[in-house]
Amino acid sequence: MAAMALRVEALRGLRGRFRWRTPALAGGVRGAARDAAAGRQDYDLLVIGGGSGGLACAKEAAQLGKKVAVVDYVEPSPRGTRWGLGGTCVNVGCIPKKLMHQAALLGGMIRDAPHYGWEVPQQVPHDWKKMAEAVQNYVKSLNWGHRVQLQDRKVQYFNMKASFVNEHMVRGVAKGGKETLLSAEHIVIATGGRPKYPPHIEGAVEHGITSDDIFWLKESPGKTLVVGASYVALECAGFLTGLGLDTTVMIRSIPLRGFDQQMSSLVTDHMASHGTHFLRGCIPLRVRKLPDNQLQVTWKDLVSGREDIDTFNTVLWATGRVPETRSLNLEKAGVNTNPDSKKILVDAQEATSVPHIYAIGDTAEGRPELTPTAVMAGRLLARRLCGQSSELMDYDNVPTTVFTPLEYGCVGLSEEEAVARHGEEHVEVYHAHYKPLEFTVAERDASQCYIKMVCLREPPQLVLGLHFLGPNAGEVTQGFALGIKCGASYAQVMQTVGIHPTCAEEVAKLHISKRSGLDPTVTGC
C-alpha cells in the first residue's frame, strides 16, 4: 500500500493535480480502440455505476468543466425485479425503506390518537398496494430527476453493462446486445453491492426474495420470515410488523454485528415486545413451495439440534451483500481485489492498484456501506482529479441510524471498541434511561429508550462515541455528530444548553456513569 501511495503521488504531483489529455470522439469500435492506443481518450472521466457515489462524482467533475460519462446497468434480481437510475439507496434502500418505516410509525400514531382526544377507529386496515404504489411512484420521480441532472450538467449517460478491455477502455453492452467501447483518462468504479442468497440452502433462490424485491411488491408479502440479523433485516422486519404483518426474524448468532451490542439488544427487545417474533440460534435448512403456494421452511436450532417447520407467505433473505465486481473483468485492467470479499483494494486517495482507476462506496474494501460516505467520497475525488482540492475523505466518526421501530442512531466508537482500543480503566460511559414526552399521555412503554456517551476517563473526557435509542434518532445523532467530529469533550457537552422538552436534551444532561452503579433512570421533566 505504501508503494502504491508513492506511485500515485508521483503521478499526481502537488495537491493531487492531474494533466487531462485532450478528448477525442471515437469513430466506432475500431476507431475507439485505435484512438485509445494512440493516447486519445473519449472522456476525461468515466464513472461505472449510477448510484449515489458515482452520480455525485460524475456531476461534480462535470460542473468543474470535465468531459464525463456514466455507464450504469441494473441486472434484474433472480425474481425479475428491475429499477432505474440512482442505485440501491434510491430504488431498493434508504428511500423506500424510510417511507415504509414512516408508514409503520403512522400506525402507531393512530393507536396513540385516542389518548390525545382523537376519536379514531382502532381497527384501521392498511392497504399495502396503495402504499407501495405511492412509494414506487416517488422512486420513479427520483430516477427521472437523476437523468435530468446528468443532462443539465452535460454528463453522457449510457444504460449499458460495463466491463474492462484494458486499463483505459471499457466495453458497454446494451440490453439488445449492441457493444460500445468507451475510453477515459480516469475511471471511477462505483458499482455498489447486491444482496446475497445462500445457494447451499434448498429453495432459497427459487422461492425467496431480498431487499431488491420487497419494496417493489405489488401485493402484501403476508406472513414473512426474515432470515438475517443485519440492519437491513431488522429494518424490514420492523416496518412489516408495524404494518400489521406476522413477521419472524431468524438469527444465527448476534443482531447488528459491528454495532454496540448493548444497544443492539435493546433494539431487538423493543421489536419483540411490539410483536416481532425471533428465532435465535437457528439456521434455515430448506424452503419448499406447497400446493397452496405457501412456503414451508425447515430450520435447525443450533443449541438443541432439533429441527422445526413452519409455513410463510414470503421468505426474505437479509444475510449480507456482495460487491458488484465479478463481471467487470478487473483483471484486464490490473485492478486488485480482496480474494475473499471481492471488494476492490484502495488507498486513502480511493485509488486502486492502477493509479488512474478509483473505487468508491460499497465496492471498495474497508469503506462503510453508507450512501452519505459514498457521496462525499465521490465529490472529494472529483475535486482532487480536477485540481480543486487535496482534501481526502475522512471515514472516522461517520454517523448512521438504524431505522427500526425504535430508531438507533450512533456516531463514533461502540463501548466494546472503546474498551478494546483504550482499556476499560481509561473509558467512562455516561448513560440514561429516559421517557419521551410523546410517550407519556399515550402510556407507551419506554423501557428501551436509552442513551449512552462513551468517553475517555481522563479530563476533559473526549467523547469517543454517542449511542441514542429513541424517536427521531437520526435527527438527534446528526446534530451531535458535528460536535464529536470537532473533538467535543464530555465537559463541553455538559455546558451545552438543551432544548426543552426534547429527547435530544437528554444527551446534554447525562451525568450518571456506569462505573458509579447508580440508577440511570431519568425522573421529572
Side-chain angles (χ1 to χ4, degrees):
M1 290 299 288
M4 184 193 300
L6 288 172
R7 185 182 175 199
V8 170
E9 282 303 313
L11 286 169
R12 286 182 176 155
L14 293 175
R15 297 184 59 80
R17 289 191 172 91
F18 288 78
R19 292 178 297 167
W20 299 85
R21 294 177 185 170
T22 304
L25 290 174
V29 172
R30 290 183 180 176
R34 186 173 58 249
D35 288 347
R40 297 187 297 273
Q41 315 299 343
D42 299 335
Y43 297 95
D44 296 325
L45 176 66
L46 175 64
V47 177
I48 305 174
S52 303
L55 292 176
C57 183
K59 289 185 284 188
E60 188 76 11
Q63 196 164 317
L64 293 171
K66 300 306 174 185
K67 187 177 181 183
V68 182
V70 170
V71 183
D72 182 64
Y73 181 80
V74 178
E75 196 73 51
S77 73
R79 187 187 176 93
T81 307
R82 60 179 71 235
W83 52 88
L85 184 64
T88 297
C89 174
V90 167
N91 294 282
V92 289
C94 319
I95 299 301
K97 175 271 303 291
K98 181 73 181 293
L99 291 172
M100 292 192 178
H101 169 64
Q102 175 64 14
L105 292 181
L106 287 172
M109 292 178 190
I110 291 171
R111 290 188 291 274
D112 286 352
H115 295 278
Y116 286 93
W118 291 96
E119 299 298 332
V120 180
Q122 283 305 284
Q123 297 302 317
V124 180
H126 179 263
D127 187 334
W128 174 281
K129 189 172 184 178
K130 189 171 184 178
M131 174 197 68
E133 184 179 353
V135 170
Q136 290 159 15
N137 285 341
Y138 178 65
V139 167
K140 289 173 184 175
S141 76
L142 295 178
N143 298 149
W144 176 251
H146 282 307
R147 294 284 294 269
V148 171
Q149 288 173 16
L150 291 181
Q151 189 173 11
D152 288 346
R153 288 168 174 78
K154 295 181 172 54
V155 175
Q156 192 154 0
Y157 168 62
F158 296 93
N159 184 208
M160 297 178 175
K161 189 170 184 178
S163 61
F164 280 91
V165 176
N166 58 47
E167 63 179 23
H168 279 287
M169 184 173 291
V170 167
R171 175 183 288 106
V173 180
K175 187 177 179 182
K178 180 183 176 182
E179 292 189 7
T180 303
L181 291 181
L182 304 168
S183 61
E185 183 71 11
H186 300 282
I187 299 173
V188 174
I189 304 168
T191 47
R194 297 289 290 270
K196 64 181 179 183
Y197 283 84
H200 61 285
I201 296 175
E202 178 190 337
V205 179
E206 299 92 327
H207 307 309
I209 66 170
T210 68
S211 57
D212 276 358
D213 309 297
I214 186 71
F215 305 109
W216 292 91
L217 296 179
K218 302 295 185 186
E219 304 293 337
S220 170
K223 182 181 177 182
T224 302
L225 172 66
V226 179
V227 182
S230 64
Y231 71 90
V232 174
L234 298 186
E235 288 175 337
C236 290
F239 73 67
L240 290 174
T241 302
L243 296 175
L245 301 177
D246 185 346
T247 308
T248 300
V249 180
M250 185 179 292
I251 300 177
R252 177 176 57 86
S253 53
I254 61 172
L256 296 178
R257 185 179 299 278
F259 288 85
D260 187 283
Q261 282 304 292
Q262 181 190 9
M263 305 303 291
S264 301
S265 295
L266 290 169
V267 166
T268 53
D269 287 349
H270 179 271
M271 291 178 66
S273 69
H274 287 74
T276 302
H277 310 294
F278 285 89
L279 293 169
R280 296 177 181 270
C282 296
I283 57 170
L285 298 178
R286 56 190 164 272
V287 182
R288 291 175 178 165
K289 180 171 278 192
L290 301 176
D292 62 359
N293 284 328
Q294 289 198 86
L295 302 177
Q296 183 187 76
V297 180
T298 305
W299 67 88
K300 180 179 180 180
D301 186 306
L302 293 174
V303 175
S304 67
R306 190 184 68 195
E307 291 188 11
D308 262 317
I309 295 176
D310 199 357
T311 57
F312 302 87
N313 300 114
T314 301
V315 175
L316 172 66
W317 301 103
T319 54
R321 297 176 66 83
V322 291
E324 283 280 79
T325 57
R326 295 172 191 266
S327 63
L328 291 175
N329 289 338
L330 294 174
E331 65 282 358
K332 291 192 175 181
V335 174
N336 294 335
T337 61
N338 180 316
D340 297 321
S341 70
K342 305 304 179 185
K343 290 194 172 191
I344 298 171
L345 301 175
V346 294
D347 64 10
Q349 303 262 2
E350 322 296 353
T352 69
S353 49
V354 182
H356 65 271
I357 300 177
Y358 304 82
I360 58 174
D362 294 9
T363 195
E365 181 73 17
R367 302 304 193 221
E369 294 185 359
L370 297 169
T371 294
T373 52
V375 169
M376 184 173 286
R379 287 177 180 155
L380 290 174
L381 174 58
R383 291 169 195 166
R384 293 196 301 274
L385 292 178
C386 295
Q388 299 296 308
S389 170
S390 60
E391 184 181 357
L392 299 175
M393 177 65 193
D394 182 0
Y395 290 99
D396 286 334
N397 292 324
V398 172
T400 191
T401 291
V402 182
F403 289 98
T404 39
L406 194 63
E407 298 174 9
Y408 167 35
C410 59
V411 57
L413 301 182
S414 67
E415 185 175 350
E416 295 93 338
E417 288 171 332
V419 168
R421 187 175 299 185
H422 299 284
E424 189 172 0
E425 68 279 11
H426 298 298
V427 173
E428 196 77 87
V429 178
Y430 296 93
H431 64 151
H433 284 281
Y434 70 101
K435 188 161 191 172
L437 185 62
E438 299 87 337
F439 283 23
T440 55
V441 172
E443 299 176 354
R444 280 204 193 191
D445 176 27
S447 54
Q448 284 89 32
C449 292
Y450 180 73
I451 307 168
K452 72 174 172 182
M453 187 183 296
V454 183
C455 308
L456 284 177
R457 195 175 180 189
E458 183 180 342
Q461 297 187 295
L462 181 74
V463 179
L464 301 174
L466 176 67
H467 302 267
F468 181 97
L469 187 57
N472 305 304
E475 314 297 339
V476 173
T477 308
Q478 182 70 78
F480 284 101
L482 172 61
I484 294 172
K485 192 77 173 176
C486 293
S489 66
Y490 171 74
Q492 288 171 322
V493 176
M494 292 305 101
Q495 291 165 2
T496 302
V497 177
I499 300 171
H500 187 69
T502 63
C503 295
E505 72 173 315
E506 300 299 339
V507 177
K509 291 160 59 178
L510 293 171
H511 64 281
I512 293 176
S513 69
K514 280 192 174 183
R515 185 176 271 105
S516 73
L518 298 175
D519 183 359
T521 303
V522 174
T523 56
C525 68

